[in-house]
Structure formats: C-alpha cells, structure tokens
C-alpha cells in the first residue's frame, strides 16, 4: 500500500466513524472493483433499483453491473422516449427499493453536500427509496460544509455543465458566477447531516478519484 492509499484508508475510517454517529452506514472500498462488489452485495434480488445522474457510477463500473443483472428491475430514464416517460421514471424512482447516486462532496465529519438542477436526485436522497447507496471517490472529501459548497460550484459544476452542453458562465470560464440562467444546474443545495431512518443511507467511499 503506497502512502496515498494509506492516507485514503485512514481518512475514510475517520469519516465512517462520523457517518455512524449520523445514523448512516459507511464502507471503505480501496478500489473500483471492490466498490462494485460491495454495491452488488447490498442490492437484493427481486427488487426495484433506480439511480441519479452520476459520472462516478459510470466510471467505477456500478452502472454496467446494474444493467447486467437480470434479477432486478432497473428504472433507467435513458430508455424513456418522451418527456412524459422521463417524468414517470423520475416519479417511479421514489418508490424504488434501492437508489444509487454519488455525492458532490462529503465532509470529514460525515455530512453529504449535494447541489442539484432539477432536484430529483436530492429529493430521492431525502425521502422515498427504502435504501440509498451513495458512492464517492476520496477526491470528493472536504474539510467543512463551506468548502464542500465551494467545491461543487467551482470544481464539480463546470465540467458537468460542459458535459451536459449547458450554456452557463462556469462552462465558458471555468469559474462560478452564481448564475440564475435557464441552463443553471445549481438550483437546490441539500446538506445531509443525519439519516432520519437508521442506516437507510449507505456511503461507499472509494480509494480512487472518481467523478467531478
């Protein structure tokens, strides 16, 4: 184990202790492969599964693993062909047994910070699915909530806007301008400081850099 890997493991153990205090269940996965293994073990057969938009889920292989399973019903809005079907997929996600997502940032004391455009991802985190599995690379760890919010505005949102072809100031300049335009993806800021239902939220910390 190299120094960076050892650092990630030690830091993750500290965060997991705080997650437990906040009624969330934490796991440390040294590699993407271990994250996929853990995620699949937490996803029971004969259940309904959905997910929020996430480069992390794609990069680590969890998305492909979910799509390869034939023992679950996966709600995938990418398969929707009309705006009405997309809306229905969003709504159906709230009654899923398991909902997968990443988080824009996680603080050292175990708080999740997410900033959404439509709010469907943050809404599912707050209430609805029986189980929410949050997957995050250790690159998303910040010292404080304030640092987390700055991280989202200046590190996560610009590349996401570029990926989504959004015409925003951060997409063109790389710097947040606190915009309120049509293409803004920063509508809702959600800070999860505890889970109302014990261990409903499970956080997989991955010892690699994933997502934005």
């Amino acid at each position: 184990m190299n120094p960076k890997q050892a650092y990630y493991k030690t830091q993750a153990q500290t965060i997991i202790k705080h997650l437990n205090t906040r009624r969330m269940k934490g796991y440390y996965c040294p590699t993407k492969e271990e994250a996929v293994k853990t995620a699949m073990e937490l996803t029971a057969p004969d259940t309904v599964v959905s997910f929020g938009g996430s480069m992390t889920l794609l990069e680590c292989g969890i998305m492909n693993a979910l799509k390869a399973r034939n023992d679950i019903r996966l709600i995938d809005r990418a398969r929707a062909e009309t705006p009405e079907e997309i809306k229905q997929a969003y709504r159906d996600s709230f009654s899923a047994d398991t909902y997968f997502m990443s988080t824009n940032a996680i603080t050292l004391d175990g708080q999740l910070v997410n900033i959404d455009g439509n709010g469907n991802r943050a809404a599912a985190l707050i209430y609805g699915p029986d189980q929410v599995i949050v997957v995050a690379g250790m690159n998303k760890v910040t010292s404080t909530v304030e640092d987390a919010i700055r991280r989202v505005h200046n590190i996560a949102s610009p590349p996401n806007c570029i990926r989504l072809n959004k015409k925003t100031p951060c997409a063109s300049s790389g710097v947040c301008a606190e915009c309120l335009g049509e293409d803004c993806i920063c509508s809702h800021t959600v800070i999860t400081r505890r889970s109302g239902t014990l261990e409903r939220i499970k956080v997989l910390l991955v010892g690699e850099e994933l997502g934005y």
Side-chain angles (χ1 to χ4, degrees), residues 90-171:
Y90 281 142
R91 290 175 173 170
D92 288 346
S93 293
F94 292 112
S95 58
D97 298 294
T98 296
Y99 187 87
F100 278 90
M101 60 177 285
S102 186
T103 186
N104 295 131
I106 180 169
T107 63
L108 288 171
D109 66 354
Q111 299 185 73
L112 307 179
V113 177
N114 287 283
I115 300 181
D116 267 13
N118 292 325
N120 59 290
R121 182 181 62 112
L125 171 63
I126 294 169
Y127 184 81
D130 292 334
Q131 172 178 243
V132 178
I133 300 177
V134 179
V135 184
M138 292 299 291
N139 54 303
K140 294 189 175 183
V141 174
T142 64
S143 296
T144 66
V145 168
E146 292 75 20
D147 289 335
I149 292 172
R150 282 192 288 271
R151 181 190 189 282
V152 182
H153 284 305
N154 295 293
I155 296 176
S157 290
N160 266 317
C161 282
I162 292 170
R163 175 176 66 89
L164 298 170
N165 295 315
K166 298 292 187 180
K167 294 180 174 59
T168 59
C170 70

Side-chain angles (χ1 to χ4, degrees), residues 77-88:
R77 67 177 183 268
R79 298 174 183 169
E81 297 180 353
T82 66
E84 290 74 20
E85 289 177 349
I86 294 174
K87 183 183 291 186
Q88 190 61 50

